Amino acid sequence: MRERDLACHNPQSMRILVTGGAGQVGTDLIRVLRSRGADVVVYDLAPTPVDLPDGVRWIPGDICNASELYDCVKEQRPHVIYHFAPTLSASGAKLPPRASAVNHPAPHHAR
C-alpha cells in the first residue's frame, strides 16, 4: 500500500477490517494503520501471529463462508474494508476452485 493511498483516508478513530491480514501486504498495512491510530480488526484463516501489534483484534474465519463474514462485518461495523485475502497465482494454481472462490465472489459477501 502506497503512502498516498492511505492519505485519502484518515485512519485515526476509524474501525478498519483487513481480510487476509496474515499475508505480507496485510501484515504491513496493519502496522501502518495501528501507528496512525486506527482501530484494526483482522479476519483471516491463519492463527493469530505472536507479533500482532497491540490493540489489533484477530477474528478467525474463512472469507468463503458468507454467513461468517457477514456476521463479522455486522458485528464489527467497519468504516473501511481492505480485502487482502486473494490467493496468488502460484498457490492458486494448486487449487483453482478455492482460488476462484476467494478471489472473485468472496468480497461480495461483505456487502
Side-chain angles (χ1 to χ4, degrees), residues 20-98:
Q24 182 62 51
V25 175
T27 300
D28 291 343
L29 178 65
I30 290 166
R31 293 187 194 299
V32 170
L33 292 172
R34 281 300 298 148
S35 73
R36 294 183 179 196
D39 178 13
V40 179
V41 179
V42 177
Y43 186 81
D44 201 304
L45 275 174
T48 306
V50 294
D51 61 344
L52 188 68
D54 289 339
V56 175
R57 281 168 295 176
W58 194 273
I59 299 174
D62 185 345
I63 193 84
C64 292
N65 186 322
S67 62
E68 281 184 13
L69 178 58
Y70 177 80
D71 290 345
C72 175
V73 171
K74 186 177 174 183
E75 181 179 310
Q76 298 302 316
R77 302 182 53 83
H79 297 100
V80 176
I81 299 173
Y82 287 105
H83 178 53
F84 291 119
T87 303
L88 300 176
S89 59
S91 57
K94 296 174 188 171
L95 296 168
R98 172 71 180 173

